[in-house]
Amino acid sequence: MSEQQDTNLAIEPSLRLCSVAVMSPAPGPYLYRVPDELTTLPKEGQRVLVPLGGQPQVEGIVLSAMEGALAQQVLVTSGFAKSALRRVSMLLSGPMLPTDLIGVARFIADYYLAPLGEALRLLLPPSEQAQLVERVRLSEAGLVLAKKLSAVLLPPDVADLDPVTIDLLRVLGARKSPLRFVTVDHLLTAAALSSRPKADWRACLPALHKAHLIELHSDVKMGHAEGEDQPTKRRSKSSADRLPGAPIDLVLTAEQDVALHTLLAALERAAHSKPRRSGYQGFLLHGVTGSGKTEIYLRLIADALAKGQTALVLVPEIALTPQLSARFASRFPGQVAVLHSALSPRERAGAWRKILRGEVSIALGPRSAVFAPLQHLGVIIVDEEHDSSFKQHEGVHYHGRDVALWRAAQAGAVAVLGSATPSLEALELCKKGKLTRLLMQHRATGIELPRVEIIDLKQHVKAAESSLLTAPLLEALRTTFESGEQAILLLNRRGYAAFLLCQSCGHRIECPNCSVTLTLHKSRRSLMCHYCDHREPIPSDCPLCQQKSVLPIGLGTEKLLEQLMLRFPEVRMDRLDRDTSSNLHQVLAAMHNHELDLLIGTQMLAKGHDFPGVTLVGVVLADTGMGLPDFRAAERTFQLLSQVAGRAGRAKKPGRVLIQTYNPEHPAVHCAAEHDYTSFAEAELEARQALDYPPSVRLGLLRIDGEDPYKVEQVAKELSDIVRSELSLCGESLPPLGPAEAPLSRLKGRSRWQMMVRAKTVKALHRVLRAALAYKVPSGLRVHADVDPGSTL
């Protein structure tokens, strides 16, 4: 379709057209004319600049191009006139996107109900995308008007101008050289210093340009130029460099050997399959913590590289597991490109281009690395596939694991999902025969899984009231330190205290933008919101009753570290959470090199780390996520407890785990203590099926948000009628859950309502969600659809 519509039809033999997906939330794709000055017809995957609405230049990706009779046929079918079509402005010099990656973007747009342009944006690192530099200056007529506006008393002929326009022209006229171009960003900086919102000033520009009072000009700046591929110099000896890789002469266990030979046979079959796509095979490598899954990955990839193929490895958060990247770099020197957010824009773009040019054969990174432009894919691995970080929660709500499976199927590659605690979705795929399950039930070292003890906090009330450090846990720590061994303590709550409470009036200090209390961060001397980053100084008096009776409530990692330093002053200890991310690698390296005796942290501690000296793991409070209003709360609690327990006893000495909880009989706690994944998974699957929750049904989450809570509620109820009607038309019997206020009812200043839509098939789910998204909502409100939501909060 085209932006401009015209019923007059004029066809010329020299007609050239191209279909372009603009990299914006606009629906698209749009049909554009290829002007005569462009001597070559654009190709699929080529990047262009095109006009869109009131924007003179927007980056887009060419999906197809045609000329001659085919172009005429497309034009006739579209119903538009040649004169109605806008022209391609420029062909960009950046690299073309491979056809298979465009296919990935099409899948994401279709399955996750996202604009195609937004899905295509995911394929390019931010620094590879074209940067439009907008410039503005006064025209001669504008300068005359600006001089009039500089007077204290406005002349009658300009008194009717709106205040925003007056402010803007005054600022432009007051410049030292008002007829010289200035960037719009610089102009908006001046807006920030005035009382006018930036959006108001930007909205004035098109009208002033149309009135010939200002001149606008746009330059295109490509974020990354050829010859800039070399990484910038970092610290001469980073902590990650000191992390050891694994030796390559390891002898595999019998379980490892069986799993590896199965995967190698699948890789061999895939290499000889015709068509290539028919070679796809998917596997779930279900191995307990320490069973040697990484060594299987390395040997499988080595075989793929020997066949001239490439490999993609996804991990939850590469910045948290530098040891893994060190092992890959050690085993495949010069063949690994690491992609993650901790890299500078130039480093990330350089790594991306090396992959595109085929200079490296392995791409390693978190969720976004699924878009690495690898050709001849032979193996795709998703390590810790159960981890929730593979789901994107903002923008396009794709799931990295599921996109990886789709990409492997299209490439005819071997896909391996690895986990000690597989997601119920992966287990369901095994039951349906879509994945083959490979079991490794013993550790590669021969050491037994750690012994787990449950401590009922109800029996230690006094200790729990003060610090949650019970006598058994303190004694276990003392014994561990005296033996020269290391320990880990998990408390999945960062900060010093959960909130501040006034003992006089009961007031809790809450975030003004979100429906949560502010967390006390003592080291930063502030109260913080972990959702919108709002910060306030720590008050000495209650803001409601002005009494000096404000008390910190709850325990965070910061306070836990403080308490333990007082109890064990001679012990070397540190903490690992989002607040200490600036020295993340140093802390991990210190733990690996036994420069620390105790590491305290949040769930970041459970992300696949291998600390050989750790023999004790303590879970300070297992209940933090157990009661969340999310149907996956029990599953995630089980996974977290099992994963962190797996950090103990991974080398020569046996491990010990202490789990403190107020709910010792909870299935997640009990099964984690018994290392019993099967019993937990079967019971949870049965409960989900009885309640019609995934993976037995397909789930979509409709979220409605806006500043006006009454309008949000009204639209949510109107959408409920549409959803129920569409479900009935699809023959679906499951009613939607809601609408209701979201558990987090206010976020970043916007009220939130939601509704869970369940269906037996993806086709039905998509139909219902598309109908809801097509509903025109009042200005200021937004409707989002999340297919396969990772969280219902």
Side-chain angles (χ1 to χ4, degrees), residues 347-418:
E347 287 175 318
R348 193 172 180 184
W352 185 84
R353 289 205 173 202
K354 285 181 179 180
I355 297 170
L356 184 67
R357 292 194 295 256
E359 295 175 9
V360 294
S361 301
I362 303 170
L364 174 69
R367 177 182 61 234
S368 60
V370 74
F371 306 114
L374 289 160
Q375 299 297 304
H376 312 297
L377 266 171
V379 174
I380 296 183
I381 291 167
V382 184
D383 191 32
E384 310 293 355
E385 64 82 22
H386 65 275
D387 197 279
S388 60
S389 67
F390 283 120
K391 176 70 174 181
Q392 172 79 14
H393 295 290
E394 296 180 353
V396 181
H397 297 271
Y398 71 93
H399 198 297
R401 175 199 62 208
D402 299 339
V403 174
L405 288 174
W406 188 90
R407 190 175 179 188
Q410 299 304 301
V414 172
V416 182
L417 308 184

Side-chain angles (χ1 to χ4, degrees), residues 654-668:
R656 183 186 179 193
V657 180
L658 275 67
I659 298 177
Q660 298 189 151
T661 176
Y662 286 103
N663 296 279
E665 300 303 321
H666 193 286

Side-chain angles (χ1 to χ4, degrees), residues 315-376:
V315 294
E317 294 181 66
I318 189 63
L320 299 182
T321 53
Q323 188 181 36
L324 182 66
S325 56
R327 286 188 67 177
F328 272 82
S330 174
R331 191 72 65 91
F332 305 107
Q335 286 295 304
V336 182
V338 179
L339 300 167
H340 62 86
S341 57
L343 297 174
S344 70
R346 179 176 293 186
E347 287 175 318
R348 193 172 180 184
W352 185 84
R353 289 205 173 202
K354 285 181 179 180
I355 297 170
L356 184 67
R357 292 194 295 256
E359 295 175 9
V360 294
S361 301
I362 303 170
L364 174 69
R367 177 182 61 234
S368 60
V370 74
F371 306 114
L374 289 160
Q375 299 297 304
H376 312 297

Side-chain angles (χ1 to χ4, degrees), residues 457 467-468 489-495 497-498 530-531 553-557 560 601-604 606 618-630 632-641 644 659-664 666 668-669 793:
L457 286 173
S467 68
L468 289 179
L489 287 184
L490 170 73
L491 177 60
N492 203 22
R493 184 181 290 158
R494 64 188 175 105
H530 291 169
Y531 290 93
I553 301 295
L555 180 69
T557 52
L560 181 63
T602 58
Q603 61 182 343
M604 296 169 70
V619 179
V620 177
L621 183 62
D623 310 67
T624 52
M626 201 179 291
L628 292 176
D630 191 313
R632 290 192 177 93
E635 180 185 6
R636 288 186 175 148
T637 298
F638 171 80
Q639 289 166 341
L640 179 61
L641 296 178
V644 76
I659 298 177
Q660 298 189 151
T661 176
Y662 286 103
N663 296 279
H666 193 286
V669 175
L793 299 181

